[in-house]
Amino acid sequence: MLESVALLGHTSFEGQISAVQTHHDFVAVASSRLEGSTWDGAVTLLRAMAFASSPVVTLELSRLAVHGTSYGIPALTWCGAPAFSPSLATQQLPLLAAAQDNGDVLLLALKHEGVNATLLPTTTLADHDDLVSALAASPEGDLLATGGWDCTVKVWALSGSTVRPLMNWQGHSDQVTALAWRGGAGGREGGRAGGYQVASAGKDGCVKLWDVRMEGCKRECLRLVDAQAQMPLALAWATSTCPSSSSSLLPPSALEGSNAMHIDETPIEKKVENENDVLLSVAFDNGSVSLLDLRMLRGGGGGGGGGGGGRIVSSSAVKAHKTRVNALAFSPCASSSSPPVLASGGDDGQVVLTPLGFEEDGKGRRATLASKGGKQEGSGIPIAAHIQHTDYVRGLGWLATAGAGGQGEGTVAAAAASPLSSLPRPGVLLSGGWDGRLKGWAWGQEGQMT
């Protein structure tokens, strides 16, 4: 059953909400409005405080700062600091990257002292020739990917106040629609769980995977989805901060010879430290959402600088919405027995919650997007759907409860005085729409919205 969270404070915005991004108990909202023939935008910084109440969860959102721009803001992301840093008190404060419709990306520094906070412009990235439509930061926060209507994907290295261009990829033949960085904190490579690869989607119908270690590579290291009639509009990797679960998902034949995809310089093993690291969700303009498993590669070889070798067969798919799906967000995990839940937002005004599951078929475990009754491939209905907005849903973000999503003991979020300590695990989903409204929904431990 899907029920709303009682949101207090700042929940209405002038114009259309295009993005909702969370970091600890901070919530950043991008909004744009049309004035005459031009757009202007704003980035609003909120702080969330949860209150224990029954039966309704109460969440108060206090406005800390607003930064206005003379351009629309299609995308927004936190960067410059690890997504799951142990403590805001001891770690570098994050930056906010705001994409603009003039082709620039504005970096805003968060200055926070006690109950006061400000957003200060620090740097403008002006290398795109058209509207910047997608942003994604690496889990460590030190790399920022930007994509735009100029069909390019660019990567920037962030170090304190220094920003330098790192990559300029030209692998799409049409506008870039989405970006998503693979991996998360606490994984392989001393904490870099695949944090060298970023997936991109474009209006050319393709989904591609890039690797920042492949210097001089102008093409994708892997083409995950070929050009097709359905347009991919949103991407999300299954959260990598879930407890590690090593298991063999595929028969050996899927990983042998020329079909082995090379990631992190070696073929993907049948056993991985965290199986969520290889699961990518893709949303399309026909209302469907697919789950791709990188170990289900078919076709030519992967890896190498030539690019475009293999293709991936969809592990699972659901017809989640009636029309375009523009936003995806996996929940943090509450426990090893509670897999992440995929939230999707569409132009039908709905937010749909679909759990990630696993099936045994005699050949190994296969990841699935579960539906009621265990049905798949459009034969079932996603577990929870609710018409919660009167216009397009474009922004989704999870506020993680203490102990979920990589925030464990000893962190700010886990402290007894945490602003979010009274939230149900794994947290609260915030959704923003073109109706200018920000709304909240709680996901309970038993797999139901509460």
Side-chain angles (χ1 to χ4, degrees):
M1 181 178 179
L2 186 64
E3 296 181 3
S4 65
V5 169
L7 288 187
L8 305 177
H10 196 82
T11 60
S12 297
F13 296 80
E14 294 185 10
Q16 305 167 348
I17 295 177
S18 56
V20 177
Q21 294 288 318
T22 62
H23 185 89
H24 289 276
D25 52 339
F26 289 111
V27 180
V29 179
S31 57
S32 303
R33 63 177 182 175
L34 185 63
E35 292 289 340
S37 59
T38 61
W39 289 88
D40 60 20
V43 176
T44 303
L45 181 65
L46 309 172
R47 190 150 200 186
M49 173 72 76
F51 298 93
S53 58
S54 181
V56 179
V57 177
T58 301
L59 190 68
E60 182 174 4
L61 299 174
S62 301
R63 186 172 69 176
L64 299 180
V66 179
H67 181 81
T69 74
S70 300
Y71 303 96
I73 304 177
L76 185 72
T77 191
W78 293 97
C79 60
F84 300 100
S85 55
S87 170
L88 285 180
T90 60
Q91 297 291 322
Q92 176 185 352
L93 288 175
L95 302 169
L96 274 170
Q100 300 187 139
D101 59 13
N102 69 334
D104 293 346
V105 177
L106 180 64
L107 296 184
L108 301 170
L110 169 60
K111 303 296 183 181
H112 180 246
E113 295 182 3
V115 296
N116 300 315
T118 55
L119 292 173
L120 301 177
T122 61
T123 306
T124 299
L125 309 179
D127 278 23
H128 283 280
D129 295 329
D130 207 331
L131 180 148
V132 179
S133 50
L135 299 172
S138 66
E140 292 74 22
D142 57 346
L143 299 175
L144 174 67
T146 63
W149 285 9
D150 58 3
C151 310
T152 66
V153 175
K154 302 177 186 292
V155 177
W156 311 81
L158 309 178
S159 178
S161 59
T162 303
V163 182
R164 62 182 178 87
L166 189 63
M167 295 287 178
N168 181 19
W169 294 316
Q170 303 172 6
H172 286 281
S173 60
D174 207 335
Q175 301 169 5
V176 177
T177 57
L179 295 168
W181 216 282
R182 176 175 173 242
R188 300 183 302 275
E189 306 176 51
R192 266 200 116 86
Y196 295 102
Q197 290 107 25
V198 61
S200 66
K203 285 190 175 182
D204 54 8
C206 295
V207 177
K208 304 188 175 191
L209 186 67
W210 310 83
D211 194 312
V212 297
R213 294 165 297 182
M214 303 174 81
E215 287 190 36
C217 179
K218 297 296 183 181
R219 297 181 59 192
E220 72 280 0
C221 58
L222 282 170
R223 192 175 307 156
L224 305 182
V225 175
D226 270 329
Q228 56 176 336
Q230 285 73 45
M231 185 191 308
L233 298 175
L235 301 170
W237 293 94
T239 178
S240 302
T241 54
C242 295
S244 296
S245 175
S246 297
S247 60
S248 178
L249 284 113
L250 296 173
S253 60
L255 299 160
E256 293 174 349
S258 63
N259 285 344
M261 181 177 65
H262 294 259
I263 293 292
D264 302 337
E265 309 300 335
T266 59
I268 289 184
E269 305 87 354
K270 287 182 291 181
K271 289 183 180 291
V272 295
E273 183 174 349
N274 192 323
E275 58 195 13
N276 295 314
D277 287 341
V278 294
L279 302 177
L280 175 65
S281 182
V282 185
F284 296 92
D285 61 350
N286 66 348
S288 66
V289 177
S290 293
L291 184 67
L292 306 183
D293 189 323
L294 267 63
R295 287 158 296 190
M296 297 185 73
L297 188 70
R298 298 292 184 267
R311 306 295 181 267
I312 292 189
V313 178
S314 175
S315 173
S316 177
V318 293
K319 180 71 172 178
H321 294 264
K322 298 177 182 178
T323 182
R324 296 163 55 105
V325 184
N326 293 287
L328 292 173
F330 274 104
S331 73
C333 283
S335 67
S336 58
S337 61
S338 176
V341 176
L342 178 63
S344 58
D347 282 2
D348 53 6
Q350 291 188 354
V351 172
V352 174
L353 281 297
T354 307
L356 177 64
F358 297 93
E359 292 181 350
E360 299 281 352
D361 60 4
K363 297 180 180 179
R365 293 203 333 150
R366 183 172 70 93
T368 66
L369 290 174
S371 297
K372 286 182 178 179
K375 298 178 180 179
Q376 299 296 331
E377 200 64 36
S379 60
I381 302 173
I383 61 163
H386 190 80
I387 300 177
Q388 57 178 16
H389 288 274
T390 58
D391 210 331
Y392 304 158
V393 177
R394 294 297 172 91
L396 295 172
W398 289 87
L399 283 170
T401 311
Q407 298 182 5
E409 297 298 326
T411 69
V412 167
S418 166
L420 305 180
S421 59
S422 61
L423 289 181
R425 287 195 175 194
V428 164
L429 172 68
L430 298 177
S431 61
W434 278 19
D435 54 6
R437 301 287 296 176
L438 188 65
K439 299 189 177 185
W441 312 90
W443 178 259
Q445 288 184 343
E446 301 303 320
Q448 294 186 4
M449 295 299 287
T450 59

